[in-house]
């Protein structure tokens, strides 16, 4: 059996090696390393795939979030509501821009931002909401958009973990994750569902004037060559990464399907176990399983992790500490106990290997040993 990894990018590369090597070779021959045709080609193909008018490539997902906030023209002290149960980048950019992150709790079943909690957190200073489509399924966008519209607030979707997921509206129509809000942000970090071989990111928007603004900001605030109207940043997707992404974009739906099949295998293997809660998918979204995350009940998690390590099965805790309990984000407004769902999840979740190359032998080995580990570590 092949050694199990959380994400097996070596094996995935072997399947597309000829195409990738050829594309990279061509870029080296042409030397159009920055803003070359590969970037424009990928941008156009991603716009088509997502069904969104504008895709603005940038250097990484964190930049995508930062640049989106910059494009909203907010003032220091303006409030931005987001979830406390996410990767740090979501709140980091709010703090870096001297805006005020306002954290709220999540739902215990989907791990996504609690809409009632958002509503309670809205004040006259609230200027934006950043819902995170955590682990690969969409937050409740229709409710969030209604709330945002009636309060005149912008919505930036953090879609770094959910590219390709569908949001299903009440009337049955669908839109891709990241294309519903004012702007959507994604990351092409290698382990993401659409990942390159380095860093990359993108912003999505249906709005023409935001598109222009965003393109200016990622290019030093420059709209006319060497005339800088605003303070911007330098955030680019390079041609090699774009070429790799274009090759992988053609396979994204197949990759998603492979992740869903692995998830179905796990679900089936764990169903009925009293100590394991398998992922719950909300009715308004598909799930692209960036992560396959279980909630454990009555299990000594550290003991289980030790057991899995002995079996050479990697597992991860996403995320062990909610943002309001992180040292850098310590804030007089928040203390332990304020967001009980997120704090509970941080102490009880575990994520299993999830990627496009898991075979049935590996899945069986992981599932069998997880069940043995649960027996061993149950309290
Ligand atoms: C990965 C990720 C980011 C940051 O993306 P980078 O490309 O690493 O900067 C932001 N938010 C979430 C939810 C992520 O998973």
């Amino acid at each position: 059996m092949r050694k199990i990894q959380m994400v097996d990018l070596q094996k995935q590369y072997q399947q597309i090696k000829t195409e990738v090597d050829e594309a990279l070779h061509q870029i080296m021959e042409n030397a159009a390393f920055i803003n070359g045709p590969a970037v424009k080609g990928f941008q156009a193909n991603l716009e088509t795939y997502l069904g969104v008018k504008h895709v603005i490539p940038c250097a990484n997902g964190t930049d995508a979030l930062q640049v989106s906030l910059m494009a909203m023209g907010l003032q220091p002290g303006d409030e931005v509501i987001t979830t406390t149960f996410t990767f740090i980048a979501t709140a980091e950019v709010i703090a870096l821009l001297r805006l005020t992150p306002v954290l709220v709790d999540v739902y215990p079943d989907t791990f996504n931002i609690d809409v009632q909690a958002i509503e309670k957190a809205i004040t006259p200073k609230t200027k934006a909401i950043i819902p995170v489509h955590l682990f690969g399924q969409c937050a409740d966008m229709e409710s969030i958009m209604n709330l945002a519209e009636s309060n005149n607030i912008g919505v930036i979707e953090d879609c770094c973990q959910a590219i390709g997921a569908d949001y299903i509206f009440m009337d049955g129509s669908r839109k891709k994750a990241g294309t519903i809000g004012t702007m959507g942000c994604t990351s092409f970090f290698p382990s993401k569902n659409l990942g390159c071989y380095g860093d990359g990111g993108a912003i999505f928007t249906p709005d023409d004037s935001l598109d222009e603004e965003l393109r200016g900001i990622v290019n030093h605030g420059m709209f006319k060559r060497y005339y800088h109207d605003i303070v911007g940043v330098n955030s680019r997707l390079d041609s090699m990464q774009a070429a790799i992404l274009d090759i992988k974009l053609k396979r994204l739906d197949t990759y998603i399907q492979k992740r869903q099949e692995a998830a179905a295998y796990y679900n089936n293997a764990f169903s009925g176990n009293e100590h394991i809660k398998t992922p719950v998918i909300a009715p308004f979204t598909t799930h692209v399983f960036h992560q396959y995350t279980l909630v454990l009940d009555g299990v000594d998690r550290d003991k289980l992790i030790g057991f899995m390590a002995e079996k050479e099965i990697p597992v991860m805790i996403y995320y062990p500490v909610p943002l309001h309990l992180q040292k850098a984000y310590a804030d007089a407004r928040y203390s332990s106990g304020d967001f009980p769902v997120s704090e509970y999840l941080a102490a009880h979740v575990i994520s299993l290997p999830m990627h496009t190359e898991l075979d049935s032998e590996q899945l069986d080995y992981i599932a069998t040993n997880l069940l043995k580990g649960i027996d061993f570590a149950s309290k």
Side-chain angles (χ1 to χ4, degrees):
M1 186 177 65
R2 186 178 163 79
K3 189 172 159 54
I4 295 169
Q5 296 172 271
M6 280 305 283
V7 180
D8 193 341
L9 293 173
Q10 290 111 321
K11 193 172 170 196
Q12 193 190 57
Y13 168 60
Q14 292 308 317
Q15 325 286 332
I16 52 175
K17 183 174 161 59
T18 323
E19 223 176 311
V20 169
D21 292 1
E22 165 61 27
L24 294 185
H25 189 76
Q26 213 172 2
I27 288 167
M28 286 186 277
E29 293 286 353
N30 298 340
F33 298 116
I34 300 289
N35 283 335
V39 178
K40 297 195 174 65
F42 169 63
Q43 178 192 307
N45 290 335
L46 188 57
E47 285 166 355
T48 305
Y49 175 85
L50 294 171
V52 70
K53 194 160 179 202
H54 303 290
V55 166
I56 300 94
C58 65
N60 56 67
T62 309
D63 275 8
L65 289 162
Q66 180 183 326
V67 169
S68 300
L69 282 171
M70 288 170 77
M72 293 182 72
L74 308 184
Q75 300 303 313
D78 283 349
E79 294 175 359
V80 181
I81 299 175
T82 193
T83 153
T84 189
F85 193 60
T86 178
F87 180 58
I88 197 73
T90 321
E92 187 174 63
V93 294
I94 303 171
L96 271 176
L97 294 172
R98 298 277 176 260
L99 306 169
T100 304
V102 174
L103 301 174
V104 301
D105 214 344
V106 296
Y107 293 119
D109 49 356
T110 62
F111 319 143
N112 273 330
I113 193 161
D114 181 326
V115 180
Q116 276 81 43
I118 297 176
E119 193 167 9
K120 281 194 205 124
I122 292 175
T123 75
K125 280 182 156 179
T126 308
K127 295 293 157 55
I129 304 169
I130 309 185
V132 180
H133 305 315
L134 201 72
F135 301 153
Q137 70 170 313
C138 297
D140 183 356
M141 285 307 295
E142 198 160 9
S143 306
I144 292 169
M145 292 311 290
N146 287 338
L147 205 51
E149 273 155 29
S150 55
N151 289 279
N152 204 18
I153 301 169
V155 176
I156 299 171
E157 293 174 71
D158 182 339
C159 183
C160 292
Q161 301 189 1
I163 194 160
D166 280 340
Y167 185 84
I168 307 156
F169 289 85
M170 236 94 90
D171 66 6
S173 63
R174 287 172 179 239
K175 274 191 180 178
K176 288 287 180 201
T179 69
I180 302 153
T182 321
M183 287 168 274
C185 296
T186 206
S187 163
F188 303 124
F189 186 78
S191 63
K192 299 285 157 94
N193 284 25
L194 180 60
C196 56
Y197 295 169
D199 273 308
I203 307 159
F204 322 137
T205 187
D207 186 296
D208 294 341
S209 63
L210 271 177
D211 171 58
E212 202 185 321
E213 186 77 6
L214 292 163
R215 281 182 208 281
I217 295 171
V218 296
N219 190 25
H220 301 289
M222 182 165 83
F223 296 87
K224 182 177 156 197
R225 195 149 219 186
Y226 303 126
Y227 289 78
H228 304 274
D229 297 353
I230 53 172
V231 177
V233 295
N234 170 23
S235 188
R236 299 185 279 244
L237 179 71
D238 70 72
S239 302
M240 291 200 188
Q241 302 308 337
I244 293 159
L245 288 165
D246 215 18
I247 291 163
K248 291 178 73 169
L249 177 61
K250 287 186 275 182
R251 294 165 172 84
L252 181 58
D253 285 339
T254 312
Y255 287 156
I256 289 170
Q257 200 185 334
K258 287 186 176 178
R259 288 173 177 273
Q260 290 168 336
E261 282 164 14
Y265 187 98
Y266 284 144
N267 282 344
N268 187 47
F270 306 141
S271 78
N273 187 296
E274 55 172 339
H275 298 291
I276 305 176
K277 189 171 147 202
T278 53
V280 176
I281 307 174
F284 47 70
T285 176
T286 63
H287 200 319
V288 296
F289 288 101
H290 175 59
Q291 300 298 343
Y292 182 87
T293 303
L294 301 170
V295 185
L296 302 172
D297 181 26
V299 176
D300 181 334
R301 188 171 64 174
D302 289 336
K303 205 169 159 186
L304 175 63
I305 293 170
F307 181 92
M308 298 302 271
E310 266 175 42
K311 304 290 176 195
E312 296 191 46
I313 301 170
V315 294
M316 292 289 280
I317 308 303
Y318 302 115
Y319 295 95
V321 184
L323 303 193
H324 68 284
L325 301 179
Q326 295 285 357
K327 198 167 156 193
Y329 292 80
D331 187 310
R333 292 173 299 160
Y334 303 123
S335 57
S336 178
D338 284 354
F339 304 110
V341 178
S342 297
E343 290 169 36
Y344 180 87
L345 291 174
H348 292 85
V349 289
I350 191 165
S351 296
L352 301 186
M354 173 50 78
H355 55 80
T356 58
E357 311 301 318
L358 284 163
D359 61 38
S360 52
E361 190 186 7
Q362 291 174 316
L363 286 167
D364 180 59
Y365 181 80
I366 298 164
T368 307
N369 280 298
L370 186 88
L371 289 168
K372 281 187 195 160
I374 296 274
D375 272 347
F376 173 72
S378 62
K379 295 185 269 198

